[in-house]
Amino acid sequence: MARNKYDVDERLETPFDIRHLKRAMVYVSRYKWRMILSLSLSAAAVIIGLFAPVITQYAIDKVIPQKDIPKLILMAALLLLTIVVNIILATIRSRIMTKVGQDIIFDIRTDLFEHLQRLSFEYYDSRPHGKILVRIINYVNSVSDTLSNGIITFILELFNIVFIVVFMFAMHWKMALVILAGVPVLMLFIMLIKNKQRKAWQAVSNKSSNLNAYLHEGLVGVKVTQLFVREDENAEIFGNLSEAYRKDWMHAVTFNNLLWPTVDTISATIGASIYLVGLLIIGPASVSLGTIVAMSGYASRFWQPILNLANLFNNFVNAVSYLERIFETLDEPVKVSDKENAEVLPNIEGNVEFDNVTFAYDESKTILENLSFKVNKGESVALVGPTGAGKTTIVNLISRFYDVNGGAVLIDGHNVADVTLKSLRSQMGIMLQDSVVFSGTIADNIRYGKLDATMDEIVAACKTVRADEFISEFPKGYDTEITEGGSTLSQGQKQLIAFARTLISDPKILVLDEATSSIDAKTEKLLQEGLDRLLEGRTSFIIAHRLSTIQNCDKIMYVSNRGITECGTHDELLAKKGDYYKLYNAREM
Amino acid sequence: MFQIKWIWENMKGYRGRYILALCMTVVGQIMYLTNPIFGQKIVDTFIYNENAAENLANNSRLLVMLCLGMVLFTLVRTVIQFNSNMLYEKCSQGMLARIRNYLFANVQKQDMTFYDRNRTGDLMTRLSGDLDMVRHSVAWIIKALLESIVLFTTTTVYFFILDPIMALCLLALTPLIFIISGIFRKEVGPKYVDLRERLSQLNTQAQENIAGNRVVRAFAREDYEIDRFQEKNSEYAEANKAAAMTWLKYFPYIETTAQGLSVVQLIAGGIFVITGRLTMGEYVAFSGLIWTLSNPMRNVGTLINDLQRFMASASKIIEVYYSRPIIVDRKDAVEMPDHLNGDIEFKNVSFSYGDNEVLKNVSFKVNAGETVAVMGETGSGKTSLVNLIPRLYDTNSGEVLVDGVNVRFIKLETLRRNIGMAMQDVLLWSDTIEGNIAFGDSDMPDSDIRTFAKAADADSFINSLNDGYDTIVGERGVGLSGGQKQRISLARALAIRPSILILDDTTSAVDLETEKTIQENLASLDFKCTKIIIAQRISSAKDADKIIILKDGKISEMGTHEELLKNENGYYSEIYRLQQGNIE
């Protein structure tokens, strides 16, 4: 599978189309009533705002010449009233829209996160984690304002423009045409820069993603960096990514900064043209001077909202470059998901069957071909063989982390593809090679296997896997906070915690993939005793390189590149003098 | 204000341009104020003038000139403003890159204890979201502040010239704005501190979920994860709302005061006109420019809002910016040759993580070229012991010596360049396999990369991958099996031809045949190297020149295979019997 690395831009597979907008509108339209309310409040504020000039006009024309001070104060009071009402409306509108904006962001982020939970390992394996992270956090934050206030402003300004255009034409249509003549020029300009601007902002979002990916790796891999004295070289790589981001930002922002001076200049040119056209071409004979003054007023009142729209347009282009990425992630196909009428897997006994299973990670390379075997409930099966032969793949297919290309994996006769993932996996206990622990207390980490586990259950599980001994030696015992990645625990301790976490979930099928590789021989021996009791009544699959772990298994399967070449008990396989025998003898002391 | 000083410090190389940009802002702002003069002149001369028709007939040139002037003036102004905006962008981006690069370099130098304290998600927040807030303030807040000041002072001066009393009446409301914004500032400050803390928590939650995605799938805990994320997501949204609501609580008062200027103007101006103090023309002049006072006043609130946000973010960055590692080169470091010999000695070494003492009085000596195996129970301090050699941590007491010199006196670079370490928890980079093996020296020739891949018995599986050495492995080497990752990590450690090779349980996940091959290869390396091998299996340890058994942080047994076997009650003998027993 093609993997992405920190310095490779992620190609955008889908061209921009209007559907992105429609899709964004789905989130917005959930709040349409609140949006409409805000819009009405804004409209009301605009209308009330219209009274203010009327009041001052009246005061200047009538009240002041009449020297009527009480009436002047009355007018002032009226003015104050319109101002206060206006501000109250604006405040309410802002309160509503702030909430709407945050709620939209909350929704998008939730959808994104939920979708990410459904994606398989492959998605996470094929790109730097930092790139996923920026999408959930930074990109989503970047679109909030455009999708809330941006839309309201857009609608209001549009109304504003329509309003003014109507007035202009009503007053003098020829001069109105002059004012509108600037619009095609602006449109032409926007058409010219639109694509470049969009590409430029896409590049910025790419570069910011690269930068964050490298930053993330730099933080996660700092120990290796220090050990290999790579600080300076890494800083240089980061510096280059930083510079690439800066350059693309400067390029993109140039378009944004070009837009409003263009509007401003067009607006000024139109303003001047009004006088020229009005006075010199049409002439004061056929147009009243008042009309010319009024039209020049309209000109600036027409272009102001256009200037605002231009700024909105900039924000919008910017936001779309993030929205595209968000939607791209949301569109990432879920490779393994519940079938439409998937059943809930009933409580299982633990019979596992591979029926002619064929599997390939990608078409060019088949890992498993026509593999068939049967494991009865309660049996323990060890998978041995060279690295990369497909041992992990086999156990991954049981928990349906991947779907088979041919054949079927059956548990108690149920095809794993026909049951819900949750009902399947919650009855399985899988311990992976990487023992990832989460930040939180040790008890929290073990409780991850069974969310309602009592403290007694946790301690019991830890005693079984011999983790209780080291845990109770910590001053805070089970309440010891584990830092991220468990850096203060040894690898062996992490494995023991992960072990307890798996056991507490009381699985019917247990998969141990190199689960004890970092545990010392003595602890392992003790662990083994507890384990033997535990394995009773559970079907278990054990992958281990230390043959000591697996000799007592009911069945040992030797997995090579040619599939399962040998299968039997330890003694049977030794007697066979085949691959297992060779492997076993390699272990001389 | 320290934050401002810090920013200024980081504007080096851009200060001149930044000041130029600020000057251009002042010019642009003034031109903006004077722009209407052209229109005014046209109206006065050609429209509302007794001789308007005459002027138009005789002096149409003036009209054209004025119109042209209007366009040109705007053009000049927008060119100035465009350039000043681009300068702001340039300066803020330059500063941003400088701080960001410095921060990256700085976090890379921090001690391991720094990473035990700070979570990746939190550091990510500081280096992305917080940093962007700082950029935003440099680019726009200061500019907006200056524009407001220019508008306000110019108009104030102009108003005082027109009529000082009237000007004073208008300015009477100004203190009110400052009082309200002062209260607002106190209330909103903590809100932004909280907000960025929530963002950091959200980031951490998402980061851990991504890092642990396999565990989440394995336990089918997707719903649980979604619930937990939702909680942080909603807390962040609420914190955002809370900060905005605080602003909206004060906004009406600030806004009313700012807009109240026109009420004051109406009353005071009206009375002054009535009493004859002001002419109607002067009144109109005041009213035409009243917005230049009220806009800056209403901006005070927004600016304080942004400034508080900036402060919350900046102080978080500054924490990391000035964070200094404890493990650094000493000034009196001993000059050592580039290539160390590889003698190692531990003298009474004790070490603890916080209250948890993991090594107690450990002493031993290894001669250059020898092999030492370290064994012991889980948590007995094996990894802590080897971490002290490259100074990932410093001892609490006692000394670690390399070539007879306390490692604290050896330059970190010299020390670490001589140590090849393959860690238990294999960390690869999302780079090609080639790039990962050559991590310690990116100029390494391809032939070397292959040689060491072969030594780590990785060559054959690498060649079987579709892209061979150019295969990109995911972050943390996902996509490869545990054994494959370990072998790449081993090749990476070998590739720097270290004088000291530390293998921390490096072959735990490889199969036995491979382990055997690797052991043989390690025995026949073409350079001299001291090997410290942490192992669980007797087979990995028995040929070592010295075997050290750790128990609860102390050396409980030490000697060769034969010597240790003599102590029948010892850990080593026990393990031997355990593993031997399995064979027979």
Side-chain angles (χ1 to χ4, degrees):
Chain A
M1 83 192 96
R3 296 206 175 87
N4 184 273
K5 65 193 259 246
Y6 61 82
D7 60 350
V8 179
D9 291 353
E10 293 165 293
R11 247 171 347 117
L12 195 66
E13 309 293 350
T14 50
F16 175 76
D17 59 45
I18 198 77
R19 271 178 309 190
H20 279 115
L21 270 184
K22 281 198 184 148
R23 218 168 147 181
M25 285 309 137
V26 171
Y27 289 99
V28 176
S29 64
R30 290 181 196 164
Y31 303 100
K32 62 168 180 272
W33 292 113
R34 285 200 259 165
M35 299 275 271
I36 290 170
L37 178 60
S38 301
L39 206 55
S40 325
L41 288 173
S42 303
V46 169
I47 292 166
I48 289 167
L50 289 176
F51 284 111
V54 177
I55 293 169
T56 28
Q57 203 56 47
Y58 180 77
I60 292 170
D61 290 351
K62 297 272 159 69
V63 181
I64 295 175
Q66 287 167 4
K67 306 193 182 216
D68 187 347
I69 292 181
K71 209 168 183 184
L72 182 70
I73 291 170
L74 179 68
M75 286 298 123
L78 272 177
L79 184 63
L80 187 63
L81 186 69
T82 63
I83 289 171
V84 169
V85 171
N86 210 329
I87 289 171
I88 289 172
L89 291 176
T91 310
I92 297 173
R93 177 209 135 162
S94 294
R95 290 178 71 101
I96 295 172
M97 284 321 288
T98 304
K99 286 183 183 154
V100 168
Q102 289 304 321
D103 289 344
I104 289 174
I105 287 313
F106 177 86
D107 291 349
I108 294 180
R109 191 173 273 135
T110 301
D111 283 3
L112 198 58
F113 190 82
E114 282 184 1
H115 189 73
L116 281 168
Q117 298 311 301
R118 282 197 286 272
L119 295 176
S120 62
F121 296 170
E122 270 172 299
Y123 180 79
Y124 294 89
D125 290 359
S126 59
R127 68 208 68 223
H129 287 169
K131 292 199 177 185
I132 307 172
L133 190 60
V134 287
R135 290 183 184 206
I136 307 176
I137 309 294
N138 308 38
Y139 285 11
V140 176
N141 278 353
S142 305
V143 300
S144 89
D145 207 47
T146 308
L147 286 188
S148 51
N149 281 313
I151 291 171
I152 297 277
T153 318
F154 176 76
I155 296 173
L156 279 180
E157 296 295 14
L158 224 51
F159 272 126
N160 234 332
I161 290 171
V162 172
F163 215 60
I164 293 161
V165 168
V166 169
F167 268 77
M168 286 189 320
F169 275 93
M171 187 167 259
H172 198 278
W173 68 270
K174 276 184 196 163
M175 283 208 275
L177 282 180
V178 173
I179 292 172
L180 287 182
V183 175
V185 181
L186 180 65
M187 284 301 159
L188 188 70
F189 179 76
I190 288 178
M191 292 308 258
L192 277 177
I193 67 160
K194 189 187 74 184
N195 280 325
K196 287 184 194 160
Q197 192 184 10
R198 176 170 168 256
K199 283 223 175 70
W201 281 111
Q202 278 174 352
V204 172
S205 84
N206 251 320
K207 293 293 186 276
S208 110
S209 168
N210 291 349
L211 191 67
N212 279 300
Y214 197 74
L215 170 63
H216 187 252
E217 286 209 61
L219 293 173
V220 174
V222 67
K223 201 166 171 185
V224 181
T225 302
Q226 293 191 355
L227 278 174
F228 286 87
V229 202
R230 272 272 298 225
E231 293 93 336
D232 292 344
E233 199 172 334
N234 284 5
E236 199 182 312
I237 295 174
F238 186 80
N240 290 337
L241 293 171
S242 191
E243 178 58 20
Y245 170 79
R246 197 188 67 85
K247 258 171 88 177
D248 281 354
W249 172 280
M250 288 308 294
H251 179 65
V253 87
T254 309
F255 293 112
N256 285 18
N257 278 334
L258 272 175
L259 191 54
W260 66 262
T262 310
V263 176
D264 223 353
T265 311
I266 294 176
S267 156
T269 314
I270 298 295
S273 311
I274 287 294
Y275 293 118
L276 287 179
V277 172
L279 289 170
L280 292 179
I281 298 173
I282 302 176
S286 46
V287 61
S288 80
L289 295 173
T291 309
I292 297 177
V293 174
M295 285 310 277
S296 93
Y298 280 130
S300 61
R301 283 188 64 181
F302 172 71
W303 283 92
Q304 187 54 46
I306 290 194
L307 191 64
N308 296 345
L309 284 181
N311 283 329
L312 267 182
F313 177 79
N314 280 338
N315 296 340
F316 174 73
V317 171
N318 192 345
V320 163
S321 74
Y322 294 116
L323 267 181
E324 285 172 332
R325 292 297 178 183
I326 293 167
F327 289 143
E328 186 194 34
T329 309
L330 281 173
D331 288 340
E332 192 69 38
V334 179
K335 293 212 173 109
V336 177
S337 58
D338 290 346
K339 266 192 177 171
E340 217 167 275
N341 41 12
E343 300 165 19
V344 172
L345 182 66
N347 285 340
I348 54 169
E349 297 188 322
N351 299 300
V352 177
E353 186 182 351
F354 270 53
D355 182 15
N356 262 318
V357 169
T358 300
F359 176 76
Y361 287 103
D362 56 62
E363 277 135 41
S364 60
K365 222 166 134 191
T366 306
I367 305 278
L368 304 174
E369 206 166 354
N370 292 325
L371 184 72
S372 294
F373 66 83
K374 234 177 171 167
V375 175
N376 296 322
K377 62 177 177 186
E379 278 186 331
S380 57
V381 180
L383 301 169
V384 295
T387 347
K391 302 185 294 282
T392 303
T393 308
I394 291 176
V395 295
N396 277 345
L397 291 179
I398 303 174
S399 6
R400 206 181 156 215
F401 284 129
Y402 299 95
D403 272 331
V404 295
N405 298 68
V409 176
L410 306 159
I411 292 182
D412 287 1
H414 298 274
N415 187 337
V416 293
D418 295 335
V419 297
T420 63
L421 284 171
K422 196 172 175 181
S423 66
L424 171 70
R425 291 183 189 158
S426 58
Q427 298 192 54
M428 303 193 51
I430 306 148
M431 244 200 94
L432 304 152
Q433 285 178 349
D434 271 335
S435 14
V436 175
V437 290
F438 296 104
S439 57
T441 66
I442 290 181
D444 288 343
N445 263 284
I446 294 165
R447 200 173 283 125
Y448 201 83
K450 188 185 178 196
L451 296 178
D452 55 356
T454 63
M455 210 50 218
D456 290 341
E457 287 176 287
I458 291 173
V459 175
C462 287
K463 282 197 169 138
T464 315
V465 302
R466 300 280 159 181
D468 180 63
E469 288 159 32
F470 84 83
I471 295 171
S472 31
E473 268 175 37
F474 289 130
K476 286 188 185 157
Y478 284 84
D479 292 329
T480 306
E481 285 283 334
I482 302 183
T483 52
E484 183 184 292
S487 49
T488 47
L489 294 175
S490 83
Q491 196 72 7
Q493 290 170 334
K494 273 191 263 179
Q495 280 193 346
L496 291 178
I497 288 175
F499 217 134
R501 176 172 71 187
T502 305
L503 284 181
I504 207 166
S505 68
D506 190 26
K508 274 283 170 308
I509 300 175
L510 190 64
V511 174
L512 306 177
D513 187 354
E514 284 295 347
T516 56
S517 61
S518 298
I519 297 169
D520 67 289
K522 197 174 164 189
T523 309
E524 193 187 7
K525 174 77 184 167
L526 296 169
L527 174 69
Q528 197 75 42
E529 289 160 12
L531 208 57
D532 288 341
R533 275 205 316 276
L534 260 155
L535 294 183
E536 264 170 49
R538 300 177 211 272
T539 314
S540 55
F541 292 85
I542 300 168
I543 300 177
H545 291 113
R546 279 196 241 162
L547 300 187
S548 55
T549 335
I550 59 171
Q551 283 171 23
N552 300 329
C553 286
D554 298 320
K555 231 180 231 173
I556 296 172
M557 292 186 189
Y558 190 93
V559 186
S560 79
N561 297 324
R562 289 163 286 126
I564 296 176
T565 52
E566 292 173 22
C567 179
T569 63
H570 176 68
D571 296 330
E572 284 167 15
L573 291 190
L574 281 188
K576 220 173 180 179
K577 296 208 189 279
D579 290 330
Y580 182 75
Y581 177 79
K582 262 191 262 167
L583 183 72
Y584 189 74
N585 281 338
R587 191 200 155 71
E588 62 194 68
M589 303 275 263
Chain B
M1 275 190 285
F2 185 70
Q3 283 95 331
I4 306 285
K5 208 181 129 203
W6 170 72
I7 291 278
W8 187 242
E9 209 41 55
N10 277 292
M11 296 269 292
K12 251 183 204 151
Y14 292 97
R15 288 176 187 168
R17 273 177 278 187
Y18 194 69
I19 291 170
L20 178 66
L22 291 176
C23 295
M24 285 161 83
T25 298
V26 174
V27 175
Q29 200 62 18
I30 290 171
M31 284 178 84
Y32 194 70
L33 277 176
T34 46
N35 217 10
I37 290 173
F38 289 96
Q40 204 56 49
K41 181 86 180 153
I42 294 174
V43 173
D44 286 351
T45 318
F46 300 102
I47 297 174
Y48 292 130
N49 189 299
E50 287 159 16
N51 310 317
E54 215 169 285
N55 285 344
L56 189 61
N58 303 333
N59 212 354
S60 61
R61 252 180 80 94
L62 178 67
L63 175 65
V64 175
M65 291 306 284
L66 278 172
C67 285
L68 265 181
M70 199 157 130
V71 174
L72 276 178
F73 200 75
T74 308
L75 201 61
V76 171
R77 175 176 58 82
T78 53
V79 167
I80 289 175
Q81 287 180 329
F82 169 79
N83 281 302
S84 74
N85 278 356
M86 289 306 286
L87 275 179
Y88 285 123
E89 291 286 358
K90 215 182 184 75
C91 297
S92 60
Q93 285 294 325
M95 175 222 59
L96 176 72
R98 189 189 155 105
I99 294 182
R100 182 155 49 201
N101 294 349
Y102 180 86
L103 283 174
F104 184 79
N106 197 40
V107 291
Q108 282 199 109
K109 289 189 198 120
Q110 296 302 314
D111 301 332
M112 287 304 124
T113 47
F114 174 87
Y115 287 92
D116 296 341
R117 280 197 314 270
N118 293 292
R119 302 213 256 179
T120 311
D122 180 55
L123 291 172
M124 286 291 289
T125 312
R126 297 186 198 210
L127 269 86
S128 57
D130 285 335
L131 212 46
D132 198 58
M133 193 57 225
V134 170
R135 175 200 65 82
H136 176 72
S137 27
V138 171
W140 304 118
I141 299 180
I142 295 180
K143 178 197 169 201
L145 188 68
L146 187 71
E147 280 181 350
S148 295
I149 292 172
V150 171
L151 266 186
F152 194 81
T153 38
T154 327
T155 315
T156 307
V157 170
Y158 180 61
F159 279 5
F160 266 98
I161 294 169
L162 276 181
D163 186 342
I165 304 284
M166 179 69 188
L168 277 178
C169 289
L170 290 175
L171 289 178
L173 285 178
T174 326
L176 203 54
I177 289 273
F178 284 104
I179 292 166
I180 300 170
S181 1
I183 304 171
F184 165 61
R185 188 179 65 86
K186 282 214 183 90
E187 192 174 332
V188 85
K191 294 273 166 38
Y192 279 118
V193 173
D194 182 57
L195 176 63
R196 73 146 310 286
E197 184 52 37
R198 301 284 172 197
L199 178 63
S200 159
Q201 285 179 9
L202 184 69
N203 227 323
T204 303
Q205 192 73 37
Q207 198 266 338
E208 282 210 60
N209 174 272
I210 296 169
N213 73 82
R214 279 168 193 261
V215 178
V216 177
R217 302 297 174 282
F219 285 95
R221 282 281 174 266
E222 289 86 350
D223 293 343
Y224 174 66
E225 287 291 312
I226 290 169
D227 284 350
R228 292 210 298 174
F229 182 78
Q230 284 306 61
E231 197 185 312
K232 299 289 175 203
N233 190 10
S234 131
E235 279 171 7
Y236 174 64
E238 290 310 316
N240 250 317
K241 289 179 192 169
M245 289 311 149
T246 311
W247 164 228
L248 289 174
K249 186 169 134 192
Y250 289 91
F251 164 81
Y253 303 108
I254 293 179
E255 192 68 15
T256 307
T257 315
Q259 293 197 28
L261 274 182
S262 44
V263 178
V264 174
Q265 201 239 352
L266 184 62
I267 293 180
I271 290 172
F272 287 152
V273 172
I274 290 170
T275 55
R277 203 189 144 77
L278 280 180
T279 67
M280 204 57 195
E282 283 168 329
Y283 177 89
V284 172
F286 271 110
S287 94
L289 282 173
I290 197 79
W291 64 272
T292 57
L293 284 188
S294 61
N295 274 3
M297 278 168 72
R298 68 156 63 113
N299 282 347
V300 169
T302 336
L303 287 172
I304 281 177
N305 198 25
D306 279 355
L307 219 55
Q308 287 305 307
R309 204 170 178 170
F310 158 77
M311 290 295 180
S313 287
S315 47
K316 281 293 171 183
I317 300 171
I318 287 173
E319 257 176 49
V320 178
Y321 191 92
Y322 287 105
S323 179
R324 291 286 169 266
I326 299 162
I327 301 179
V328 288
D329 288 343
R330 288 178 68 115
K331 281 202 187 88
D332 52 349
V334 179
E335 271 308 313
M336 301 287 278
D338 282 347
H339 190 81
L340 300 178
N341 204 25
D343 298 308
I344 300 168
E345 187 179 356
F346 275 58
K347 264 192 200 166
N348 294 322
V349 169
S350 296
F351 173 68
S352 48
Y353 293 109
D355 307 332
N356 190 13
E357 194 171 36
V358 285
L359 290 175
K360 295 160 201 159
N361 246 332
V362 172
S363 297
F364 66 90
K365 209 173 163 180
V366 192
N367 295 323
E370 284 185 347
T371 300
V372 186
V374 182
M375 297 179 78
E377 288 178 24
T378 301
S380 58
K382 304 184 292 287
T383 303
S384 306
L385 180 101
V386 294
N387 277 345
L388 296 176
I389 304 172
R391 278 188 87 194
L392 284 178
Y393 293 91
D394 267 341
T395 58
N396 293 53
S397 66
E399 297 183 311
V400 177
L401 303 114
V402 169
D403 288 2
V405 180
N406 187 334
V407 288
R408 292 181 190 235
F409 286 91
I410 304 177
K411 285 205 177 103
L412 275 177
E413 181 166 356
T414 314
L415 179 70
R416 289 179 180 164
R417 281 212 189 277
N418 278 281
I419 298 173
M421 190 162 167
M423 295 183 303
Q424 233 172 358
D425 183 15
V426 177
L427 256 168
L428 301 178
W429 295 71
S430 57
D431 194 353
T432 60
I433 290 182
E434 195 173 66
N436 269 294
I437 295 177
F439 191 71
D441 172 15
S442 18
D443 301 326
M444 188 177 296
D446 279 6
S447 58
D448 275 17
I449 292 173
R450 268 152 236 268
T451 307
F452 290 110
K454 275 184 192 138
D457 201 31
D459 184 63
S460 55
F461 89 78
I462 297 172
N463 281 324
S464 74
L465 300 170
N466 285 343
D467 295 323
Y469 281 83
D470 292 327
T471 308
I472 293 176
V473 295
E475 202 166 331
R476 296 187 80 99
V478 276
L480 296 174
S481 79
Q484 290 170 334
K485 278 190 279 180
Q486 287 188 336
R487 282 183 273 168
I488 292 177
S489 140
L490 176 61
R492 175 172 71 185
L494 286 173
I496 60 167
R497 296 176 186 271
S499 320
I500 298 169
L501 179 69
I502 299 172
L503 304 182
D504 189 355
D505 211 6
T506 308
T507 51
S508 63
V510 301
D511 56 84
L512 296 167
E513 275 174 281
T514 313
E515 191 191 9
K516 217 176 150 195
T517 318
I518 291 173
Q519 274 177 13
E520 283 161 14
N521 293 345
L522 287 181
S524 58
L525 292 174
D526 65 352
F527 52 91
K528 189 174 114 183
C529 135
T530 313
K531 300 181 194 83
I532 299 184
I533 298 169
I534 296 180
Q536 316 291 0
R537 304 176 200 167
I538 295 286
S539 58
S540 319
K542 70 179 170 49
D543 295 325
D545 297 298
K546 195 175 269 172
I547 300 165
I548 292 173
I549 307 294
L550 281 179
K551 188 173 171 31
D552 295 334
K554 288 184 204 144
I555 295 185
S556 62
E557 294 162 56
M558 178 156 62
T560 62
H561 176 70
E562 285 74 23
E563 284 165 7
L564 291 187
L565 279 186
K566 281 182 197 147
N567 176 5
E568 284 185 16
N569 299 324
Y571 176 86
Y572 191 77
S573 297
E574 195 185 336
I575 300 297
Y576 181 76
R577 283 194 299 272
L578 218 61
Q579 298 190 345
Q580 178 84 344
N582 286 328
I583 300 268
E584 284 155 6

